Amino acid sequence: KGARKTGIAFYNKSMGEKILKTRQIEARMERALKDKEFLVYLQPKIDLESGRVVGAEALARWHCSKYGDVSPGEFIPLLEQNGLIVPMGMWILRKAAAQCRQWCEQKPDFNMSVNLSYQQFLEGDLTSFVRDTLDEIKLSPANLTLELTESYFVKEDAIVRETLESFREMGVRVAMDDFGVGYSSLFMLKYIPADIVKIDRGFVKGITTDLFNATFIRSITELCNDVG
């Protein structure tokens, strides 16, 4: 109906069912946080030349007692809408940092990546929270990478830029995730403080057969390496 201002739009029963399920999931979220239904999964990062695990990325997962496994693509936007993404993000960062500290006893250069939400920059002092968490857990800033999706970089908020600069001054690395999706990617590379660029998987798929994707990745890799 939104796409076509005129004409007839037909209602489908599945529309109402989807909206109802979304509302019910939304209503269960706060209790799910208290009941510890959310989990942190750690996806390994592999050095392709050596085949060794060099780090991990913390990923939020939710096994709802009523609906079973709920997709992050479904619950993350709802957490952001309700403001619950802020306490959720703090919990994930603490949990991931603590696990990283434990693994650093075996591998001192192990690196843990944690995703940040735009809302975390707007509420409270994110820099102080990260610094206090690292001090409390006794984890070196060099062992932590904080990731922000490219769409958040595009907002160009002064608070985001200042906070990212403070992370780098602290020794924490900053990663730009989903690179290549937005329209301002190259512009962002020039002006936003980022140590790592993660190319969106849409460009990674089929790089052995898709000439455009292979060329794009080769070009971006060379550009990123040339500018550090």
Side-chain angles (χ1 to χ4, degrees):
K1 187 67 177 175
R4 296 182 61 191
K5 301 301 180 184
T6 59
I8 298 172
F10 289 93
Y11 173 76
N12 187 302
K13 186 180 178 182
S14 63
M15 296 176 185
E17 292 173 347
K18 184 177 180 181
I19 292 171
L20 179 61
K21 182 184 176 183
T22 298
R23 293 290 170 263
Q24 290 173 338
I25 288 175
E26 203 171 0
R28 295 182 67 88
M29 280 185 167
E30 197 162 356
R31 193 172 77 187
L33 274 171
K34 294 177 182 177
D35 293 345
K36 298 181 180 179
E37 287 186 357
F38 287 99
L39 302 170
V40 175
Y41 277 32
L42 298 169
Q43 178 174 276
K45 292 189 285 188
I46 310 294
D47 182 317
L48 292 182
E49 290 185 357
S50 66
R52 299 179 64 186
V53 175
V54 295
E57 179 179 353
L59 304 172
R61 293 293 181 264
W62 182 17
H63 182 76
C64 179
S65 55
K66 180 175 181 179
Y67 295 105
D69 291 325
V70 182
S71 165
E74 192 170 1
F75 71 76
I76 293 292
L78 294 177
L79 286 171
E80 291 181 331
Q81 289 172 24
N82 294 341
L84 293 173
I85 195 69
V86 176
M88 175 79 160
M90 294 168 68
W91 173 72
I92 291 174
L93 180 60
R94 282 182 177 276
K95 197 169 182 66
Q99 181 62 73
C100 184
R101 175 68 183 85
Q102 184 178 338
W103 282 338
C104 280
E105 294 176 7
Q106 303 296 323
K107 184 176 175 55
D109 60 347
F110 192 90
N111 188 272
M112 182 68 73
S113 294
V114 180
N115 292 281
L116 295 177
S117 165
Y118 183 67
Q119 283 192 20
Q120 289 176 269
F121 286 82
L122 305 181
E123 297 187 27
D125 189 343
L126 185 56
T127 302
S128 294
F129 172 73
V130 171
R131 184 184 293 110
D132 293 344
T133 300
L134 292 174
D135 289 344
E136 178 187 332
I137 295 172
K138 295 180 173 56
L139 179 68
S140 168
N143 296 112
L144 179 66
T145 297
L146 295 175
E147 298 189 9
L148 206 58
T149 62
E150 183 199 290
S151 60
Y152 293 147
F153 281 94
V154 172
K155 292 178 184 290
E156 287 192 85
D157 277 332
I159 188 172
V160 172
R161 188 187 300 267
E162 291 169 7
T163 305
L164 294 178
E165 288 284 11
S166 70
F167 288 155
R168 298 184 78 190
E169 290 171 6
M170 197 189 309
V172 172
R173 284 189 282 184
V174 173
M176 181 190 291
D177 200 4
D178 298 336
F179 180 82
V181 175
Y183 294 107
S184 305
S185 300
L186 293 176
F187 182 83
M188 290 298 103
L189 272 186
K190 182 175 181 180
Y191 291 104
I192 291 293
D195 304 290
I196 300 165
V197 169
K198 297 177 65 179
I199 299 173
D200 185 74
R201 64 179 179 178
F203 294 102
V204 179
K205 284 182 178 179
I207 56 173
T208 58
T209 56
D210 189 306
L211 178 61
F212 180 89
N213 285 3
T215 305
F216 176 83
I217 289 181
R218 185 184 303 111
S219 301
I220 293 300
T221 302
E222 290 175 356
L223 173 64
C224 290
N225 287 330
D226 288 345
V227 298

